[in-house]
Amino acid sequence: MHQVVKEMEAMQELSMVNEELQGKIQAMEEMNKQLKEKVEEFVEVETLHKGNHELQEARKELIEALKHTWSSTGRANIGIKEMGKIDEKPFLRACKQIYRPCKAQLQATTQCSLWQENLKDQDWYPFKTIFISDCEGNISKMEEVVDEEDEKLKILKEEWGCDVYMAVATALKELNEYNPTGRSVVPELWNFKEQRKATLKEVIIAYMVKNMATLKRKRGTEVYCQ
């Protein structure tokens, strides 16, 4: 008799868990439905008003909402990239050629952090202005690029190689575009597959796909429990 009571209690508890899961699933499905309805609206806004204040605010809100849960490693096609953050992998590859494996990671992290701090130095300005001409030879615009002849960068390239130099130069270029005065890392919605800013449409669709995958896993768990 005692065993029967325990089984009934277990069944009741399982039923309550399933009801709670079902409620969460329904809520997520409703959220996805609302997001789907917004996709076309976002596409229209991005097409007609690209670069305006409302669009930038929408991107900022999405970044703030997703930055703690979305990947910044590039493993997913759409994610959040920290613009101006130096990629540590080239440092690690270089350190593995110099140090024993037990020390390589520490040295790579140390050197990468050191150069990240160098990037914040407002007195260091390793850029130069170049003039870009049109097909008729007339100057059409000016552009700031990383100065390869900068002394610090030349020493970096000589000591650590081209890959490390390119990692630092890329971070410099990003900082000069996204935060030239503050020189701090800036999060951006990013298409890692195509190496460009992600559109709002791409971000919303990626979010919906991720949520649907979560729903499928939860449904699978629910079926298994039953």
Side-chain angles (χ1 to χ4, degrees):
M1 183 67 180
H2 181 67
Q3 182 64 28
V4 173
V5 172
K6 287 181 66 177
E7 289 180 358
M8 290 180 65
E9 289 176 348
M11 289 294 292
Q12 288 176 347
E13 185 176 351
L14 183 59
S15 178
M16 290 174 63
V17 170
N18 281 337
E19 286 180 8
E20 183 180 352
L21 274 174
Q22 189 63 35
K24 290 181 179 179
I25 289 171
Q26 289 176 353
M28 291 180 72
E29 286 177 337
E30 180 62 28
M31 184 184 298
N32 277 338
K33 181 181 178 182
Q34 293 174 3
L35 282 170
K36 188 175 181 180
E37 292 172 354
K38 287 288 184 180
V39 169
E40 294 302 324
E41 180 183 336
F42 273 121
V43 174
E44 183 179 355
V45 168
E46 193 158 38
T47 301
L48 298 177
H49 306 288
K50 191 172 183 179
N52 69 8
H53 179 70
E54 289 81 3
L55 178 58
Q56 296 306 317
E57 286 301 310
R59 294 184 72 89
K60 287 179 182 178
E61 288 179 13
L62 277 171
I63 289 170
E64 189 63 30
L66 300 173
K67 67 181 181 181
H68 298 299
T69 57
W70 272 30
S71 171
S72 60
T73 62
R75 293 176 183 173
N77 287 341
I78 306 297
I80 294 177
K81 181 179 180 182
E82 295 177 290
M83 310 303 290
K85 183 176 181 179
I86 300 173
D87 184 0
E88 188 177 310
K89 292 190 290 293
F91 279 95
L92 181 58
R93 288 194 294 268
C95 285
K96 283 181 177 179
Q97 297 177 12
I98 302 172
Y99 302 98
R100 289 180 294 178
C102 59
K103 291 186 177 181
Q105 181 63 67
L106 177 60
Q107 288 295 330
T109 301
T110 301
Q111 289 298 322
C112 189
S113 297
L114 174 65
W115 276 95
Q116 194 70 57
E117 287 300 312
N118 285 339
L119 265 55
K120 297 178 183 178
D121 183 2
Q122 296 289 335
D123 294 326
W124 182 40
Y125 195 77
F127 301 98
K128 64 181 179 180
T129 301
I130 62 172
F131 298 94
I132 300 175
S133 302
D134 58 23
C135 57
E136 296 179 354
N138 300 314
I139 295 175
S140 58
K141 65 176 181 177
M142 295 185 298
E143 184 177 330
E144 280 193 332
V145 297
V146 175
D147 185 2
E148 296 179 359
E149 297 302 313
D150 177 85
E151 282 302 315
K152 274 189 179 182
L153 293 179
K154 286 173 69 175
I155 293 172
L156 171 71
K157 194 172 185 179
E158 290 171 3
E159 291 183 352
W160 292 98
C162 289
D163 285 351
V164 168
Y165 164 80
M166 286 303 301
V168 173
T170 298
L172 274 169
K173 182 180 177 182
E174 292 172 353
L175 284 177
N176 201 39
E177 178 182 354
Y178 280 83
N179 192 8
T181 55
R183 291 275 189 97
S184 58
V185 172
V186 177
E188 175 63 280
L189 300 170
W190 198 254
N191 185 320
F192 288 98
K193 184 178 181 180
E194 299 182 14
Q195 289 300 303
R196 59 168 173 77
K197 285 184 183 181
T199 64
L200 291 179
K201 178 182 178 181
E202 289 172 332
V203 173
I204 294 170
I205 290 175
Y207 178 81
M208 291 170 63
V209 169
K210 186 175 181 180
N211 271 4
M212 290 306 296
T214 302
L215 284 173
K216 287 180 180 179
R217 285 196 298 271
K218 286 187 175 181
R219 280 176 172 162
T221 303
E222 182 182 357
V223 170
Y224 177 78
C225 290
Q226 290 176 341

